[in-house]
Amino acid sequence: MARDARSSAGEVSVGLLVFGVLALLALGASATLLLPVSDPANSARARGEPRNYSPVALEGRQVYFREGCAYCHTQLVRDTLADSYLGPTPSQPGEYLGAVPVLAGAERVGPDLSCVGDRFEKEDDILAFLKNPRDPAFRRAASIMPSYSWLPGTELQALASYLKSLSCRK
């Protein structure tokens, strides 16, 4: 009789454990699916104007993605004091609307590139920087950014065009 009570209690514990695990999985799955759909940042009502890129800049965006530039550079001005010098206003979700993939970046090993097009006079200046980031003219002697001079000329020009298009001036 005592043995039956113990096995019955064990079955209840296992049943509760299985139910708890399934409930947590269902909760996680629903949150994973429902939260992005309900986030206003992912809708057409999101504030901020999406960027429009020329065909050459779009090619440069692909080079930027392929070369992993987003691993070291962000394109996101946060609403913090630390980011106040990066752009005139914090980035808005609508600015990334239709951008697939979104290249907001994850870390700032290098400077934020949200408004990098405003920091250079001409595309040729960006091109020269991409070829030799440690050139004394750029005052970045300690830069750890690699040179991209090995890229074919058309890809390098497209990358420079993409970076020049990242402007915060309206």
Side-chain angles (χ1 to χ4, degrees):
M1 179 94 172
R3 185 175 203 151
D4 288 339
R6 258 189 261 138
S7 69
S8 176
E11 288 172 9
V12 169
S13 296
V14 169
L16 282 174
L17 178 65
V18 168
F19 175 77
V21 166
L22 291 175
L24 285 174
L25 285 172
L27 180 65
S30 64
T32 301
L33 296 172
L34 294 178
L35 287 178
V37 170
S38 64
D39 186 351
N42 294 326
S43 74
R45 297 181 315 274
R47 291 188 335 248
E49 291 295 317
R51 295 185 191 259
N52 292 316
Y53 303 110
S54 70
V56 174
L58 277 174
E59 289 177 35
R61 189 175 189 279
Q62 291 175 341
V63 173
Y64 183 93
F65 177 69
R66 184 192 71 216
E67 295 303 318
C69 301
Y71 289 119
C72 295
H73 296 281
T74 57
Q75 291 183 35
L76 176 69
V77 179
R78 300 168 298 189
D79 192 12
T80 64
L81 182 60
D83 283 8
S84 62
Y85 72 96
L86 292 175
T89 60
S91 298
Q92 298 296 321
E95 296 170 1
Y96 305 99
L97 196 63
V100 178
V102 173
L103 298 174
E107 294 189 36
R108 287 191 182 149
V109 174
D112 182 85
L113 300 180
S114 299
C115 305
V116 71
D118 300 336
R119 293 181 222 150
F120 288 89
E121 192 82 18
K122 306 174 290 206
E123 268 184 43
D124 288 344
D125 297 336
I126 297 174
L127 197 58
F129 182 78
L130 292 170
K131 288 179 180 178
N132 185 6
R134 285 169 284 292
D135 185 322
F138 299 112
R139 294 176 279 148
R140 303 267 189 266
S143 175
I144 61 170
M145 183 171 151
S147 166
Y148 286 93
S149 60
W150 58 271
L151 283 174
T154 55
E155 287 188 4
L156 198 57
Q157 187 64 49
L159 181 57
S161 178
Y162 170 66
L163 292 172
K164 184 64 179 155
S165 75
L166 297 177
S167 174
C168 294
R169 294 183 187 143
K170 300 291 182 197

